Amino acid sequence: MGCNSCEIDKKPQSGLGAIKIALAGQPNVGKSMLINAMSGGNRVKVGNFSGVTVDKMEICFEHHCHHFDLIDLPGTYSIDGFTQEEKVAKDFLMNEEYDLILNVVDSTNLQRNLLLTCELLELNKKMVVALNMADEAKKDGIDIDIEQLQKILGVKVIMVSAKTGEGVDELLDTMHDIVDSGKREHNNLIYSDPLEEEIIKIRKFLDEKGFSYKDWSNREVAIGLLFEQESLYKELHDNPIMIELYPLIRDSLTHIYTHHETKNIKEIKAVEHASIARGIALEVVKQHSISKSLTLTQKIDSVLLNKYLGIPIFLFFMWGLFQLTFTFGNYPMDYINSAIGAFGDFVGSHITNDNIRSLVVDGIIAGVGAVLLFLPNIIILYIGIALLETTGYMSRVAFLLDGFFHKFGLHGKSFIPLVTGFGCTVPAYMAARTLKSEKDRLITLFILGFMSCGARLPIYVLFTGAFFSEAESGNILFLIYISGALLGLIMAKVLRVVVFKGEDEPFVMEMPKYRLPSFKLIWHTVYSNAASYLNKAGTFILLASMIIWFSSNYPKQPELEKIYSVKIEQASTKVAKNRLATELKAKELENSYLGKIGKFSEPFFAPLGFDWRLSVALEAGLAAKEVVVSTLGVLYSVGEVDETSKSLKDILHKNLNIPIAMSFIVFVMIYLPCFAASRVFTKEAGGIKYFVYLFLFTTTTAWVLSFITYRVGLLIFGA
Amino acid sequence: MKLSELKKQEEAIVKRVNATGDLKQRLASFGLLKGANIRVIDFALGKSTIEIMVDGTLLALRKSEAENIEVEPKWAVTVAK
């Protein structure tokens, strides 16, 4: 599966083969930190699997000359549920080949973590349990009897701390030893008496028949049968023993149903696991003092979740994050901008062929450079979001906002992608994965584009600057952002009522303990996100830039050029020469592919007040919003311009009027964000079908609202 | 008594979870099922969301979910004895 560094010798049983480990654990148990601790600096991230929306990740590293190939499954509270993450985890654990399950457990919350451990044990695979956060448990005065826990679970249990590195070597050695030894320890869990009775009945029958299945004990087979493990039934389906087993199982299940007062086997399993977990916790966990971290968490919560202060505090944090993103992000922006300009000049001076130079400098460097420009903002935003996530504050905000969001048909957790959307829509689409319900996730994905991303800012600045005084512009800018967000909420409600009808997603969420953020983990998250932003956006933008460049430069019109070059030569003054040169450029543009597209689509945009230039700028903006301003600049024949260029502002002011400008802003606010975002949306939503819906949905909304804005504008301001 | 009717800092034992399928499964995976010990920690504005502690885990629930959980307050248990 593409794990190059581990493919040197991939025989699991031999001394040097790669050991394939499936890493499973509940959320907030420090899995990622443990991966970092295990792999040290030698971590090779191999990238994502093909999972539609939720990824498993493969990580390879070496320890004492043994290759480890780690599959990081999504953190889930259970593998029996219906969420996508749970399905991904379960599918992998049931169907894929691997050597060992590593179950990571939070020592400070053993009881609840054991619920998943029980489910994993019933898969009957080799397994090791890592009791993570040993250091925190010590601080909290928690003592765990490892020997006893091992006896009860029947698998190796190792105390580790990803933070201090304690036990990590031992864990790696143990995993290796267990994979090397051929034998697997059998599931030792003791269930409730009524269930045990039935297990023993069926096991006895299997023993008498001399039955054996894989490396399972007959007890394990009996448990699998009673818990209706589908894969087991599928495999035993053709076995003659089933004819005799069916009545036995039916009889046993009837007894179990009566005892548990339900016929839902999943529920019965959950109750059984809960009482096993409670029993184990009582037996092996000694708490010497009141948990400090838990009391601290409750103290912090009493402030941050305060009925009246909670939301203002959150808004303050958000405000701070945006201030940082925009103010700090701007410092390096200037440097990057001039560096890109200098680089373009340098490259340009070394290319002799005019066409190639134009492609490289005006097309590729300018286009990709525009994206690089936003990297600092994106990094700051990611640091902020990583902080929110790792400290545990994110869940609190979902708690605070759920009441408000719920009224609009959104889930409290939707706020995370929505906030991210003000920075860049691409990571925002990905952040929507935190939503468990498919409907909530889709609604959030559909309205995310209404949160104006950073790349739209230049357009807003240009148009508000052209038609309003400086004092007004700021307020109008604020108004644009707010109305976008409000529109998003209203649209969410509309989608909920019209399209995504049905039951609401229940809001049941763990509020993890507050933890100090780990610098290493934040660095890893930010680094890998920034790298993928550069990689992916870079490639898309590169392609888009080349297309825009090509379609605005071709087809060449040699005759037109000839006529103008004669005219230019004949012109007497420099001013006249320049005027003719820009006129030529404009004519060429009008006849280029891009110009033709603009003319072709003009009728569609005419009711909104847009001419072919504005139409083509909007279409170019489908590639990236940065392109809109530069396209307008080219189309209005003033050469290269950026948003502060006075001349473009003046030209716009002369050529357009307030109603058109307002209508244009509204359209930009609502329609598709960019090519990169569209790609990510298609992937996250799960198919091209959804992209078509999104395109129709946003374009229609944008058209209708722009139309209204334009008409109302005409009434108020006149043409 | 319903979980949603408890007051801040009140403790109780879960008697019954009136839910089906997905929700029941979800609640169970957090340990919120019959016999679990719970304590109400806090409410969000307008009681729309409730924060509770279930056997050492902090959990947030919507009011509509909390209404489906039947509990027996701890003080009731002591009085009955």
Side-chain angles (χ1 to χ4, degrees):
Chain A
M1 240 166 257
C3 188
N4 293 326
S5 69
C6 299
E7 268 168 11
I8 305 160
D9 180 12
K10 221 171 184 172
K11 280 172 250 152
Q13 302 303 332
S14 78
L16 278 167
I19 301 172
K20 200 164 183 180
I21 295 164
L23 197 70
Q26 296 194 338
N28 311 309
V29 296
K31 250 175 6 134
S32 325
M33 253 175 104
L34 186 61
I35 293 173
N36 280 340
M38 284 195 292
S39 57
N42 314 317
R43 162 179 192 165
V44 187
K45 210 185 103 186
V46 182
N48 300 326
F49 278 75
S50 55
V52 194
T53 48
V54 200
D55 299 308
K56 336 184 228 338
M57 220 192 295
E58 190 171 357
I59 296 124
C60 309
F61 59 93
E62 271 181 44
H63 175 76
H64 293 176
C65 293
H66 302 304
H67 293 284
F68 284 84
D69 184 356
L70 221 60
I71 315 293
D72 183 16
L73 298 172
T76 55
Y77 292 100
S78 155
I79 52 166
D80 265 342
F82 307 88
T83 72
Q84 234 164 351
E85 276 149 336
E86 286 168 26
K87 276 180 208 147
V88 169
K90 189 171 191 170
D91 275 355
F92 185 90
L93 289 169
M94 300 282 286
N95 305 324
E96 299 284 329
E97 288 281 322
Y98 54 91
D99 297 314
L100 178 91
I101 299 173
L102 172 58
N103 176 212
V104 187
V105 165
D106 176 359
S107 320
T108 66
N109 196 345
L110 191 63
Q111 185 176 331
R112 201 205 59 223
N113 275 261
L114 283 173
L115 296 176
L116 178 66
T117 308
C118 290
E119 289 178 8
L120 294 174
L121 281 170
E122 283 162 8
L123 294 172
N124 303 319
K125 307 270 185 182
K126 281 184 179 176
M127 185 163 136
V128 171
V129 175
L131 286 182
N132 199 9
M133 312 206 183
D135 54 317
E136 218 174 283
K138 239 175 252 162
K139 267 189 225 152
D140 274 357
I142 294 170
D143 221 11
I144 298 175
D145 185 345
I146 303 284
E147 286 293 314
Q148 188 60 21
L149 184 57
Q150 265 177 172
K151 238 183 248 165
I152 300 172
L153 296 179
V155 295
K156 257 295 201 197
V157 177
I158 308 215
M159 212 57 189
V160 296
S161 164
K163 209 164 163 191
T164 62
E166 176 196 337
V168 172
D169 271 343
E170 192 194 345
L171 174 65
L172 288 168
D173 289 337
T174 310
M175 290 197 292
H176 175 249
D177 289 346
I178 289 179
V179 171
D180 261 4
S181 75
K183 231 180 90 225
R184 174 176 68 84
E185 300 293 336
H186 290 294
N187 174 2
N188 254 354
L189 296 178
I190 312 277
Y191 299 87
S192 67
D193 288 347
L195 182 57
E196 278 295 331
E197 238 172 72
E198 308 307 322
I199 293 173
I200 291 167
K201 244 187 245 167
I202 292 178
R203 195 213 67 212
K204 263 194 186 151
F205 172 77
L206 291 169
D207 284 348
E208 281 163 16
K209 295 286 280 189
F211 177 84
S212 84
Y213 172 73
K214 286 188 184 165
D215 65 342
W216 294 27
S217 69
N218 279 341
R219 178 182 163 81
E220 284 169 339
V221 176
I223 296 167
L225 289 170
L226 288 173
F227 280 167
E228 295 180 345
Q229 211 183 83
E230 270 176 50
S231 55
L232 181 62
Y233 275 89
K234 256 178 216 154
E235 289 205 31
L236 294 185
H237 183 259
D238 294 332
N239 195 317
I241 199 172
M242 290 310 276
I243 299 172
E244 286 173 84
L245 262 176
Y246 280 137
L248 268 179
I249 295 169
R250 198 174 299 139
D251 204 38
S252 292
L253 283 177
T254 318
H255 287 168
I256 296 170
Y257 292 157
T258 341
H259 174 77
H260 277 276
E261 295 171 348
T262 172
K263 285 189 176 170
N264 185 333
I265 209 79
K266 275 191 177 173
E267 206 180 311
I268 293 170
K269 250 169 99 172
V271 172
E272 288 283 339
H273 290 163
S275 48
I276 291 175
R278 199 171 301 149
I280 296 178
L282 272 176
E283 205 175 330
V284 305
V285 181
K286 295 272 173 307
Q287 179 113 30
H288 298 299
S289 56
I290 300 163
S291 163
K292 276 182 215 146
S293 60
L294 205 57
T295 23
L296 181 67
T297 292
Q298 288 182 40
K299 270 185 194 155
I300 300 175
D301 268 352
S302 67
V303 179
L304 292 183
L305 293 186
N306 183 288
K307 228 179 259 185
Y308 307 104
L309 285 178
I311 291 180
I313 291 175
F314 158 68
L315 290 175
F316 173 76
F317 282 150
M318 281 297 110
W319 177 83
L321 179 59
F322 278 103
Q323 284 297 320
L324 281 177
T325 308
F326 291 114
T327 47
F328 267 131
N330 276 337
Y331 290 112
M333 225 173 178
D334 294 338
Y335 294 114
I336 296 175
N337 204 3
S338 46
I340 291 167
F343 180 67
D345 291 343
F346 171 77
V347 173
S349 65
H350 282 77
I351 301 175
T352 44
N353 185 310
D354 273 349
N355 282 327
I356 296 178
R357 184 176 56 233
S358 171
L359 169 66
V360 173
V361 178
D362 302 337
I364 297 172
I365 296 180
V368 175
V371 176
L372 283 179
L373 218 51
F374 292 99
L375 189 65
N377 306 59
I378 300 240
I379 288 177
I380 296 174
L381 203 64
Y382 270 124
I383 294 176
I385 290 165
L387 276 175
L388 283 179
E389 230 162 28
T390 50
T391 51
Y393 185 55
M394 201 84 111
S395 323
R396 269 71 187 185
V397 182
F399 174 83
L400 286 171
L401 291 185
D402 183 66
F404 176 70
F405 271 30
H406 195 200
K407 290 198 175 72
F408 288 96
L410 282 169
H411 198 267
K413 279 188 193 167
S414 304
F415 108 92
I416 299 159
L418 292 180
V419 161
T420 319
F422 283 119
C424 174
T425 319
V426 173
Y429 281 144
M430 296 198 245
R433 285 178 199 173
T434 41
L435 290 159
K436 305 283 180 244
S437 138
E438 199 57 24
K439 278 178 187 165
D440 284 336
R441 212 167 59 84
L442 282 172
I443 291 180
T444 310
L445 286 177
F446 270 99
I447 63 157
L448 257 176
F450 296 144
M451 308 298 127
S452 280
C453 67
R456 298 184 200 197
L457 190 64
I459 308 173
Y460 299 152
V461 171
L462 179 70
F463 275 80
T464 49
F467 292 97
F468 301 95
S469 74
E470 237 169 73
E472 282 174 321
S473 305
N475 292 334
I476 289 180
L477 218 59
F478 181 71
L479 199 72
I480 291 171
Y481 275 79
I482 290 294
S483 49
L486 282 178
L487 182 68
L489 288 180
I490 295 165
M491 282 303 164
K493 185 76 191 169
V494 172
L495 285 175
R496 171 65 84 186
V497 172
V498 180
V499 187
F500 301 101
K501 285 177 232 164
E503 286 268 310
D504 273 0
E505 155 85 357
F507 184 82
V508 186
M509 219 173 111
E510 190 195 354
M511 311 277 260
K513 271 186 283 196
Y514 286 109
R515 290 202 164 99
L516 280 177
S518 137
F519 173 76
K520 263 196 229 159
L521 198 60
I522 289 186
W523 162 248
H524 262 294
T525 325
V526 172
Y527 174 80
S528 55
N529 276 322
S532 81
Y533 171 79
L534 282 183
N535 277 341
K536 286 182 187 159
T539 42
F540 295 146
I541 296 295
L542 186 82
L543 192 73
S545 309
M546 284 163 73
I547 292 171
I548 293 287
W549 174 86
F550 177 80
S551 48
S552 62
N553 278 285
Y554 288 86
K556 288 277 177 209
Q557 288 116 33
E559 278 164 39
L560 203 68
E561 242 170 271
K562 242 184 231 162
I563 298 168
Y564 269 87
S565 63
V566 176
K567 271 192 194 171
I568 289 172
E569 249 168 57
Q570 285 167 348
S572 48
T573 60
K574 223 177 180 182
V575 179
K577 275 184 199 212
N578 275 343
R579 197 179 49 81
L580 283 168
T582 41
E583 211 179 292
L584 165 67
K585 226 178 164 187
K587 283 243 165 94
E588 274 183 332
L589 207 61
E590 214 175 321
N591 289 307
S592 69
Y593 293 119
L594 208 62
K596 282 177 188 154
I597 295 169
K599 290 268 183 205
F600 174 76
S601 54
E602 201 178 359
F604 175 76
F605 289 107
L608 313 180
F610 306 158
D611 63 0
W612 72 271
R613 293 181 185 89
L614 290 178
S615 312
V616 104
L618 285 178
E619 280 152 18
L622 287 173
K625 289 291 158 290
E626 294 90 335
V627 186
V628 173
V629 171
S630 59
T631 310
L632 281 174
V634 177
L635 292 179
Y636 282 103
S637 314
V638 280
E640 285 282 289
V641 268
D642 60 42
E643 66 269 25
T644 51
S645 140
K646 189 97 176 100
S647 52
L648 180 57
K649 255 189 220 171
D650 292 344
I651 291 176
L652 287 179
H653 191 82
K654 223 171 17 185
N655 281 287
L656 310 173
N657 53 31
I658 292 185
I660 295 178
M662 280 169 38
S663 159
F664 192 80
I665 287 174
V666 169
F667 203 94
V668 167
M669 204 167 89
I670 302 169
Y671 86 127
L672 279 186
C674 65
F675 181 60
S678 305
R679 285 256 336 213
V680 175
F681 173 87
T682 310
K683 190 180 163 242
E684 295 296 319
I688 193 83
K689 174 177 91 179
Y690 290 101
F691 174 69
V692 175
Y693 292 152
L694 178 75
F695 181 79
L696 294 175
F697 171 61
T698 50
T699 314
T700 316
T701 316
W703 201 93
V704 170
L705 290 180
S706 289
F707 183 77
I708 295 170
T709 311
Y710 181 55
R711 297 292 146 181
V712 172
L714 280 182
L715 285 180
I716 298 171
F717 298 98
Chain B
M1 192 176 193
K2 291 175 192 163
L3 194 158
S4 54
E5 293 164 354
L6 289 173
K7 291 195 186 68
K8 228 167 135 171
Q9 295 302 331
E10 264 183 351
E11 290 183 32
I13 292 173
V14 175
K15 288 280 120 193
R16 218 179 127 83
V17 178
N18 294 318
T20 46
D22 197 5
L23 178 59
K24 184 143 198 170
Q25 173 70 29
R26 182 95 48 93
L27 293 170
S29 68
F30 285 109
L32 191 63
L33 31 73
K34 195 178 156 190
N37 292 296
I38 59 158
R39 184 159 52 114
V40 173
I41 305 290
D42 216 335
F43 297 96
L45 203 60
K47 278 203 173 189
S48 56
T49 338
I50 305 174
E51 187 189 9
I52 58 168
M53 169 97 87
V54 188
D55 291 315
T57 301
L58 286 170
L59 214 60
L61 291 176
R62 242 179 228 154
K63 196 182 170 195
S64 51
E65 272 93 54
E67 277 169 351
N68 289 317
I69 297 168
E70 282 175 35
V71 297
E72 191 173 310
K74 284 269 174 76
W75 49 266
V77 180
T78 8
V79 170
K81 272 176 190 168

